[in-house]
């Protein structure tokens, strides 16, 4: 790691001794430290939405407890997919029984991946997840390789993957919300885009004003999501009690005999669980991360697995294989048969679920920007937070602005499809970083330790998920996506490796930092 890019950790006065016991040895019991801890702890901070008072340390505060962590993971994973199009697994397996087994197996694979992230997250307790893990983990073996790979991930996540995901979720919210309140003709495309942009602007404001407000909003969204899923599940269990089990009988009839079909079913199922790594992007804001990081994962992912399984069973109490595969919105088709006239509420509930995922994605995306800038991959202004509100305003605005731009074209879904395989490539690199830390950071305090054979298995699964879409449906789009990712190296050489700083960028940074009252965030681990 280059000297200029090295981040010097600080000990947060507001954290407990368990939080502050990290990779580096600290003199936690010195009289000076104890005095400072007591004096700062005695300050009462007002609500972020009320009058603002200065703080001694400009750093992100630990707002997220165990319940918030569980809600953050569930809220990011459960978007609109389970309600709109949970049919990718069934299409490839061709049987109800194998479909349900694949759903559970994908949950177990996601849980294994999340536990690997929990291990490296306690070794490298930084926000930004993959950015920090790849740079510090792989960088512990070869500094320049870790730096380049972390930069490429930062380039991809900042300018394509996160903002395009936020855009699609916002457009989904807009489409379903308007469908629920308008007549059957459906809303015009222009109105859908306008409402999506308005939703993004609202999320930008909330996430810029207060971390606590954004967290509370996320909890409200999760309650709405789980309530919606609960409606589907309870109604499905009632139908099973009434004897509507014909589609569940002989569940393995028609099962595919093609290994590639089963493999592609795993690919579709694992994308439904995407977001299992979301809490790692906000580790520095998690109270007692050595306990709450892995515990949130262990509580959230099995909960999602059960919800997904029971929701699919409920769908099969109404629809057979052909009906489910032909439906454009599975939950709505289910609701027409079960809820009758009350089905009109389902599109609105689905829209709320999508908006909740967009809020969680924007929350995490801003932290990716901040950590990337702290490592020198983005301009200095994105390493700053508001000096009094302690929110990463610049990162929130950047991600929201790019997301608004992605709302304007009509083929954002296609862009995400082409970049989806790239995410598993970076997951594989993060798992590799976890494996590297097994040897380079042997003395690090590990709350959880994943056995090396399981790490190798999850790395192989990740490699397969990179290759699978290239084999099953090769397209020039994948090549274009790869070229765009590597294009980031054009900026890496002058601005990161050579550290050239243009006067225009320097003046712009200074102006924005002064104008918006920003200050560089101190690292809190």
């Amino acid at each position: 790691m280059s000297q200029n890019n090295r981040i010097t950790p600080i000990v947060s006065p507001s954290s407990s001794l368990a939080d502050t016991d990290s990779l580096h040895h600290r003199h936690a019991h010195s009289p000076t430290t104890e005095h400072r801890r007591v004096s700062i702890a005695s300050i009462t901070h007002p609500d972020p939405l009320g009058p603002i008072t200065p703080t001694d340390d400009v750093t992100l505060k630990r707002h997220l407890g165990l319940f918030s962590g569980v809600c953050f993971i569930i809220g990011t994973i459960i978007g609109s997919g389970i309600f709109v199009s949970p049919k990718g697994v069934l299409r490839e397996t061709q049987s109800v029984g194998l479909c349900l087994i694949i759903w559970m197996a994908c949950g177990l694979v996601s849980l294994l991946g999340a536990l690997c992230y929990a291990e490296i997250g306690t070794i490298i307790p930084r926000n930004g997840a993959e950015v920090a893990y790849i740079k510090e983990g792989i960088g512990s073996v070869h500094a320049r390789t870790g730096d380049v790979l972390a930069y490429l991930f930062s380039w991809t996540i900042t300018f394509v993957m996160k903002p395009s995901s936020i855009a699609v979720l916002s457009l989904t919210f807009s489409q379903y919300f308007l469908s629920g309140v308008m007549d059957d003709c459906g809303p015009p495309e222009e109105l859908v885009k306008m409402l999506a942009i308005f939703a993004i602007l609202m999320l930008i404001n909330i996430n810029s004003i207060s971390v606590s407000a954004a967290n509370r909003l996320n909890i409200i969204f999760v309650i709405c999501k789980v309530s919606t899923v609960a409606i589907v599940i309870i109604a499905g269990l009632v139908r099973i009690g009434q004897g509507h089990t014909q589609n569940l009988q002989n569940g393995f009839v028609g099962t595919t005999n093609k290994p590639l079909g089963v493999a592609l079913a795993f690919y579709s199922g694992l994308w439904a669980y995407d977001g299992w790594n979301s809490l790692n992007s906000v580790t520095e804001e998690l109270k007692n991360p050595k306990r709450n990081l892995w515990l949130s994962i262990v509580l959230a992912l099995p909960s999602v697995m059960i919800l997904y399984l029971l929701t699919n069973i409920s769908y099969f109490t109404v629809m057979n294989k052909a009906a489910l595969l032909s439906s454009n919105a599975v939950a709505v088709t289910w609701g027409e048969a079960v809820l009758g006239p009350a089905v009109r509420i389902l599109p609105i509930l689905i829209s709320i679920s999508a908006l909740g995922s967009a809020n969680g994605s924007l929350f995490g995306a801003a932290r990716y920007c901040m950590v990337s800038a702290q490592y020198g991959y983005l301009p200095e202004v994105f390493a700053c937070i508001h000096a009094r509100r302690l929110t990463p305003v610049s990162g929130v605005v950047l991600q929201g602005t790019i997301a608004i731009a992605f709302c304007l074209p009509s083929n954002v879904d296609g862009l995400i499809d082409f970049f989806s395989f790239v995410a598993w490539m970076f997951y594989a690199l993060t798992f590799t970083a976890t494996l590297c830390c097994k040897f380079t950071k042997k003395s690090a305090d590990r709350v959880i330790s994943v056995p090396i054979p399981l790490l190798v298995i999850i790395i192989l699964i990740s490699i397969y998920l990179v290759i699978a879409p290239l084999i099953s449906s090769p397209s020039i789009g994948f090549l274009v996506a790869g070229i765009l990712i590597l294009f980031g190296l054009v900026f890496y050489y002058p601005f990161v490796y050579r550290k050239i700083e243009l006067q225009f960028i320097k003046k712009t940074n200074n102006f924005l930092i002064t104008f918006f009252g920003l200050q560089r965030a101190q690292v809190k681990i």
Side-chain angles (χ1 to χ4, degrees), residues 57-321:
D57 288 322
V58 178
T59 182
L60 295 172
K61 300 302 179 186
R62 297 191 184 274
H63 291 276
L64 308 178
L66 178 60
F67 180 70
S68 297
V70 172
C71 287
F72 192 80
I73 296 173
I74 293 177
T76 306
I77 293 177
I78 301 179
S80 60
I82 189 63
F83 305 113
V84 179
S85 56
K87 53 191 179 182
V89 178
L90 180 62
R91 183 186 299 113
E92 301 299 340
T93 58
Q94 299 178 18
S95 74
V96 174
L98 184 57
C99 170
L100 297 178
I101 291 174
I102 294 295
W103 274 106
M104 293 301 291
C106 290
L108 292 174
V109 171
S110 300
L111 179 59
L112 174 59
L115 290 176
C116 293
Y117 267 61
E119 176 179 343
I120 194 171
T122 55
I123 298 171
I124 306 170
R126 291 291 313 275
N127 275 359
E130 293 89 349
V131 179
Y133 303 160
I134 293 173
K135 178 173 177 60
E136 304 286 350
I138 295 180
S140 65
V141 176
H142 190 275
R144 184 57 61 189
T145 300
D147 195 50
V148 171
L149 293 175
Y151 169 81
L152 289 177
F153 173 81
S154 171
W155 164 266
T156 307
I157 201 80
T158 300
F159 294 105
V160 179
M161 293 179 66
K162 278 296 183 182
S164 61
S165 176
I166 295 167
V168 168
L169 289 166
S170 300
L171 289 168
T172 302
F173 154 76
S174 180
Q175 179 70 50
Y176 277 85
F177 181 82
L178 292 173
S179 298
V181 299
M182 297 179 68
D183 55 34
D184 294 334
C185 296
E189 183 179 354
E190 292 78 9
L191 183 59
V192 170
K193 292 183 177 181
M194 288 174 62
L195 181 58
I197 292 172
F198 176 78
I200 293 173
L201 290 173
M202 290 300 97
L203 294 179
I204 289 174
N205 276 280
I206 293 170
N207 280 271
S208 298
I209 291 173
S210 169
V211 174
S212 295
N215 178 46
R216 294 187 194 112
L217 182 63
N218 183 64
I219 293 174
I220 293 172
F221 280 135
V222 170
I223 293 173
C224 292
K225 292 181 185 191
V226 175
S227 300
T228 305
V229 174
I231 292 172
V232 177
I233 291 173
I234 293 172
L237 294 176
V238 170
R239 286 182 63 82
I240 290 175
Q242 294 172 343
H244 297 279
T245 59
Q246 61 273 18
N247 296 324
L248 298 172
Q249 297 172 357
N250 302 318
F252 290 93
V253 173
T255 299
T256 183
N257 55 5
K258 299 178 181 178
L260 182 60
V262 176
L264 292 175
F266 264 98
Y267 186 79
S268 298
L270 284 168
W271 276 115
Y273 286 94
D274 193 41
W276 49 263
N277 61 331
S278 56
L279 192 60
N280 289 73
S281 66
V282 295
T283 305
E284 292 177 45
E285 296 163 80
L286 191 64
K287 298 175 183 176
N288 194 5
K290 289 190 175 183
R291 170 184 177 269
N292 289 337
L293 181 59
W294 71 269
L295 192 54
S296 297
I297 290 168
V298 169
L299 292 174
L301 279 167
S303 300
V304 174
M305 290 167 60
I306 294 171
L307 292 175
Y308 276 2
L309 178 66
L310 294 178
T311 300
N312 277 279
I313 291 175
S314 180
Y315 290 154
F316 285 122
T317 64
V318 174
M319 293 171 278
N320 57 24
K321 290 188 291 184

Side-chain angles (χ1 to χ4, degrees), residues 400-430:
T401 303
I402 301 175
I404 289 174
F406 275 123
C407 285
L408 301 179
S410 303
N411 58 344
V412 185
D413 285 312
L415 177 69
I416 288 184
D417 289 340
F418 290 134
F419 275 88
S420 292
F421 80 102
V422 175
W424 278 99
M425 179 179 70
F426 289 116
Y427 292 161
L429 289 173
T430 304

Side-chain angles (χ1 to χ4, degrees), residues 21 41 57 245 353 364 435 462 480 483 485:
D21 181 21
D57 288 322
T245 59
S353 181
L435 185 61
S462 302
V480 173
I483 293 173
I485 293 170

